[in-house]
Coordinates of all heavy atoms in Angstrom, one line a residue:
M204 N 73.3 77.6 19.9 CA 72.4 78.4 19.1 C 72.3 79.9 19.6 O 72.1 80.8 18.9 CB 71.1 77.7 19.0 CG 70.1 78.3 18.0 SD 70.7 78.1 16.3 CE 69.5 78.9 15.4
K205 N 72.3 80.0 21.0 CA 72.1 81.3 21.6 C 73.2 82.3 21.2 O 72.9 83.5 21.1 CB 72.1 81.1 23.1 CG 71.8 82.4 23.8 CD 71.8 82.1 25.3 CE 71.6 83.4 26.1 NZ 71.6 83.2 27.5
Y206 N 74.4 81.8 21.0 CA 75.5 82.7 20.7 C 75.9 82.8 19.2 O 77.0 83.3 18.9 CB 76.8 82.3 21.5 CG 76.5 82.5 23.0 CD1 76.3 81.3 23.8 CD2 76.5 83.7 23.6 CE1 76.1 81.5 25.1 CE2 76.2 83.8 24.9 CZ 76.1 82.7 25.7 OH 75.8 82.9 27.0
L207 N 75.1 82.3 18.3 CA 75.4 82.3 16.9 C 75.5 83.7 16.4 O 76.4 83.9 15.6 CB 74.3 81.5 16.1 CG 74.5 81.4 14.6 CD1 75.8 80.6 14.3 CD2 73.3 80.7 14.0
G208 N 74.7 84.6 16.8 CA 74.8 86.0 16.3 C 76.1 86.6 16.7 O 76.7 87.3 15.9
V209 N 76.5 86.4 17.9 CA 77.8 87.0 18.4 C 79.0 86.4 17.6 O 79.9 87.1 17.3 CB 77.9 86.7 19.9 CG1 79.3 87.3 20.4 CG2 76.8 87.4 20.6
I210 N 78.9 85.1 17.3 CA 80.0 84.4 16.6 C 80.1 85.0 15.2 O 81.2 85.3 14.7 CB 79.8 82.9 16.6 CG1 80.0 82.3 18.0 CG2 80.7 82.2 15.6 CD1 79.5 80.9 18.1
L211 N 78.9 85.2 14.5 CA 78.9 85.8 13.2 C 79.5 87.3 13.2 O 80.2 87.7 12.3 CB 77.5 85.8 12.6 CG 76.9 84.5 12.2 CD1 75.5 84.6 11.8 CD2 77.7 83.8 11.2
L212 N 79.2 88.0 14.3 CA 79.7 89.4 14.4 C 81.2 89.3 14.5 O 81.9 90.1 13.9 CB 79.1 90.1 15.6 CG 77.7 90.6 15.4 CD1 77.1 91.0 16.7 CD2 77.6 91.7 14.4
L213 N 81.7 88.4 15.3 CA 83.2 88.3 15.5 C 83.9 87.9 14.2 O 85.0 88.3 13.9 CB 83.5 87.3 16.6 CG 83.1 87.8 18.0 CD1 83.4 86.7 19.1 CD2 83.9 89.1 18.4
L214 N 83.2 87.0 13.5 CA 83.8 86.6 12.2 C 83.8 87.8 11.2 O 84.8 88.0 10.4 CB 83.0 85.5 11.6 CG 83.2 84.1 12.2 CD1 82.3 83.1 11.6 CD2 84.7 83.7 12.1
G215 N 82.8 88.7 11.3 CA 82.8 89.9 10.4 C 83.9 90.8 10.8 O 84.6 91.4 10.0
V216 N 84.2 91.0 12.1 CA 85.3 91.8 12.6 C 86.6 91.2 12.2 O 87.5 92.0 11.8 CB 85.2 92.0 14.1 CG1 86.4 92.6 14.7 CG2 84.0 92.7 14.5
L217 N 86.7 89.9 12.2 CA 87.9 89.3 11.7 C 88.2 89.5 10.3 O 89.3 89.8 9.9 CB 87.9 87.8 12.0 CG 89.1 86.9 11.5 CD1 90.3 87.3 12.4 CD2 88.8 85.5 11.7
C218 N 87.2 89.5 9.5 CA 87.3 89.9 8.0 C 87.8 91.3 7.9 O 88.6 91.6 7.0 CB 86.0 89.7 7.3 SG 85.5 88.0 7.0
L219 N 87.3 92.2 8.7 CA 87.7 93.6 8.6 C 89.2 93.8 9.0 O 89.9 94.6 8.4 CB 86.8 94.5 9.5 CG 85.4 94.8 8.9 CD1 84.6 95.5 10.0 CD2 85.5 95.5 7.6
V220 N 89.6 93.0 10.0 CA 91.0 93.1 10.4 C 91.9 92.5 9.3 O 93.0 93.1 9.0 CB 91.2 92.3 11.7 CG1 92.7 92.1 12.1 CG2 90.5 93.0 12.9
L221 N 91.5 91.4 8.7 CA 92.3 90.9 7.6 C 92.3 91.9 6.4 O 93.4 92.0 5.8 CB 91.6 89.6 7.1 CG 91.8 88.4 8.0 CD1 91.1 87.2 7.5 CD2 93.3 88.0 8.1
Y222 N 91.2 92.6 6.2 CA 91.2 93.6 5.1 C 92.2 94.7 5.4 O 92.9 95.1 4.6 CB 89.8 94.1 4.9 CG 89.7 95.3 4.0 CD1 89.7 95.0 2.6 CD2 89.7 96.6 4.4 CE1 89.7 96.1 1.7 CE2 89.7 97.6 3.5 CZ 89.6 97.4 2.2 OH 89.6 98.4 1.3
K223 N 92.2 95.1 6.7 CA 93.1 96.3 7.0 C 94.6 95.9 7.0 O 95.4 96.7 6.5 CB 92.7 96.7 8.4 CG 93.5 97.8 9.0 CD 93.3 99.1 8.2 CE 94.1 100.2 8.9 NZ 94.1 101.4 8.1
F224 N 94.9 94.7 7.5 CA 96.3 94.4 7.8 C 96.9 93.4 6.8 O 98.1 93.4 6.6 CB 96.5 93.9 9.2 CG 96.3 95.0 10.2 CD1 95.2 94.9 11.1 CD2 97.1 96.1 10.4 CE1 94.9 95.8 12.0 CE2 96.8 97.1 11.3 CZ 95.7 96.9 12.1
A225 N 96.1 92.6 6.2 CA 96.7 91.5 5.4 C 96.5 91.7 3.9 O 97.5 91.8 3.1 CB 96.1 90.1 5.8
A226 N 95.2 91.7 3.5 CA 95.0 91.8 2.0 C 93.8 92.7 1.8 O 92.6 92.3 2.0 CB 94.7 90.4 1.5
P227 N 94.0 93.9 1.2 CA 92.9 94.8 0.9 C 92.1 94.3 -0.3 O 92.3 94.9 -1.4 CB 93.6 96.1 0.7 CG 95.0 95.8 0.4 CD 95.3 94.5 1.0
E228 N 91.3 93.3 -0.2 CA 90.5 92.8 -1.3 C 89.1 93.1 -1.0 O 88.6 93.1 0.1 CB 90.7 91.3 -1.4 CG 92.1 90.8 -1.6 CD 92.5 91.0 -3.0 OE1 91.7 91.1 -3.9 OE2 93.8 91.2 -3.2
N229 N 88.3 93.4 -2.1 CA 86.9 93.8 -1.9 C 86.0 92.7 -1.4 O 85.0 92.9 -0.7 CB 86.4 94.3 -3.3 CG 86.9 95.7 -3.6 OD1 87.3 96.4 -2.7 ND2 86.9 96.1 -4.8
W230 N 86.4 91.4 -1.7 CA 85.5 90.3 -1.2 C 85.5 90.2 0.3 O 84.6 89.8 0.9 CB 85.9 89.0 -1.9 CG 87.3 88.5 -1.5 CD1 88.5 88.8 -2.2 CD2 87.6 87.7 -0.4 NE1 89.5 88.1 -1.5 CE2 89.0 87.5 -0.4 CE3 86.9 87.1 0.6 CZ2 89.7 86.7 0.5 CZ3 87.5 86.3 1.6 CH2 88.9 86.1 1.5
L231 N 86.6 90.7 0.9 CA 86.6 90.7 2.4 C 85.7 91.7 2.9 O 85.0 91.5 4.0 CB 88.1 91.0 2.9 CG 89.0 89.9 2.9 CD1 90.4 90.4 3.2 CD2 88.6 88.8 3.8
L232 N 85.5 92.8 2.3 CA 84.5 93.8 2.7 C 83.1 93.3 2.5 O 82.2 93.5 3.4 CB 84.7 95.1 1.9 CG 85.9 95.9 2.3 CD1 86.0 97.2 1.3 CD2 85.9 96.4 3.7
V233 N 82.9 92.6 1.4 CA 81.5 92.1 1.2 C 81.2 91.0 2.2 O 80.1 90.9 2.8 CB 81.4 91.5 -0.3 CG1 80.1 90.8 -0.5 CG2 81.5 92.7 -1.2
A234 N 82.2 90.1 2.4 CA 82.0 89.0 3.4 C 81.8 89.6 4.8 O 80.9 89.1 5.5 CB 83.2 88.1 3.4
S235 N 82.5 90.6 5.1 CA 82.3 91.3 6.4 C 80.9 91.9 6.6 O 80.3 91.7 7.6 CB 83.4 92.3 6.6 OG 83.1 93.1 7.8
M236 N 80.4 92.5 5.5 CA 79.1 93.1 5.6 C 78.0 92.0 5.8 O 77.1 92.2 6.6 CB 78.8 93.9 4.3 CG 77.5 94.6 4.3 SD 77.1 95.3 2.7 CE 77.0 93.9 1.6
V237 N 78.2 90.9 5.0 CA 77.2 89.9 5.1 C 77.2 89.2 6.5 O 76.1 89.0 7.1 CB 77.5 88.8 4.0 CG1 76.6 87.6 4.3 CG2 77.2 89.4 2.6
L238 N 78.4 89.0 7.0 CA 78.5 88.4 8.4 C 78.0 89.3 9.4 O 77.3 88.9 10.4 CB 80.0 88.0 8.7 CG 80.5 86.8 7.9 CD1 82.0 86.7 8.1 CD2 79.8 85.6 8.4
E239 N 78.3 90.6 9.3 CA 77.8 91.6 10.3 C 76.3 91.7 10.3 O 75.7 91.7 11.4 CB 78.5 93.0 10.1 CG 80.0 93.0 10.3 CD 80.4 93.0 11.8 OE1 79.6 93.5 12.6 OE2 81.5 92.5 12.1
L240 N 75.7 91.9 9.2 CA 74.3 92.0 9.1 C 73.6 90.7 9.5 O 72.6 90.7 10.2 CB 73.8 92.3 7.7 CG 74.2 93.8 7.2 CD1 73.8 94.0 5.8 CD2 73.4 94.8 8.1
G241 N 74.1 89.6 9.1 CA 73.6 88.3 9.5 C 73.7 88.1 11.0 O 72.8 87.5 11.6
G242 N 74.8 88.5 11.6 CA 75.0 88.4 13.0 C 74.0 89.2 13.8 O 73.5 88.8 14.8
I243 N 73.8 90.4 13.3 CA 72.9 91.3 14.0 C 71.4 90.8 14.0 O 70.8 90.7 15.0 CB 72.9 92.7 13.4 CG1 74.2 93.4 13.7 CG2 71.7 93.6 13.9 CD1 74.5 94.7 12.9
F244 N 71.0 90.4 12.8 CA 69.6 89.8 12.6 C 69.5 88.5 13.4 O 68.5 88.2 14.0 CB 69.2 89.7 11.2 CG 69.0 91.0 10.5 CD1 69.7 91.4 9.4 CD2 68.1 91.9 11.1 CE1 69.4 92.6 8.8 CE2 67.8 93.1 10.5 CZ 68.5 93.5 9.3
T245 N 70.5 87.7 13.3 CA 70.4 86.4 14.0 C 70.4 86.6 15.5 O 69.6 86.0 16.2 CB 71.7 85.5 13.7 OG1 71.7 85.3 12.3 CG2 71.6 84.2 14.4
Y246 N 71.2 87.6 16.0 CA 71.1 87.9 17.5 C 69.7 88.4 17.9 O 69.2 88.0 18.9 CB 72.2 88.9 17.8 CG 72.3 89.2 19.3 CD1 73.0 88.4 20.1 CD2 71.6 90.4 19.8 CE1 73.1 88.7 21.5 CE2 71.7 90.6 21.1 CZ 72.4 89.8 22.0 OH 72.5 90.1 23.3
I247 N 69.2 89.2 17.1 CA 67.8 89.8 17.4 C 66.8 88.7 17.4 O 66.0 88.6 18.3 CB 67.5 90.9 16.4 CG1 68.3 92.1 16.7 CG2 66.0 91.3 16.6 CD1 68.2 93.2 15.6
F248 N 66.8 87.8 16.4 CA 65.7 86.8 16.2 C 65.9 85.7 17.2 O 64.9 85.2 17.7 CB 65.6 86.3 14.8 CG 65.1 87.3 13.8 CD1 65.8 87.6 12.7 CD2 63.9 88.0 14.1 CE1 65.3 88.5 11.8 CE2 63.5 89.0 13.2 CZ 64.2 89.2 12.0
V249 N 67.1 85.3 17.5 CA 67.3 84.2 18.4 C 67.0 84.6 19.8 O 66.4 83.8 20.6 CB 68.7 83.6 18.3 CG1 69.1 82.7 19.4 CG2 68.9 82.9 16.9
N250 N 67.4 85.8 20.2 CA 67.2 86.2 21.6 C 66.0 87.0 21.8 O 65.8 87.7 22.9 CB 68.5 87.1 22.0 CG 69.7 86.2 22.0 OD1 69.7 85.1 22.5 ND2 70.8 86.7 21.5
K251 N 65.1 87.0 20.9 CA 63.8 87.8 21.0 C 62.9 87.1 22.1 O 62.7 85.9 22.0 CB 63.1 87.8 19.7 CG 61.8 88.6 19.7 CD 61.2 88.7 18.3 CE 60.0 89.5 18.3 NZ 59.4 89.5 17.0
K252 N 62.5 87.9 23.0 CA 61.6 87.4 24.0 C 60.1 87.5 23.5 O 59.7 88.6 23.2 CB 61.7 88.1 25.3 CG 63.1 88.1 25.9 CD 63.5 86.7 26.4 CE 64.9 86.8 27.0 NZ 65.6 85.7 27.0
A253 N 59.4 86.4 23.5 CA 58.0 86.5 23.0 C 57.0 87.0 24.0 O 57.2 87.1 25.1 CB 57.6 85.1 22.5

């Protein structure tokens, strides 16, 4: 659970790489945006020190 945010960020980067080199489809950009934002917020909330 601790590394879920980082995993989501890496999946977002993978979507961007696929967009750049394999298939320039708009859904890859949307998926990348959702994964990147989700990864950032997940990382912040999971690793927040109370």
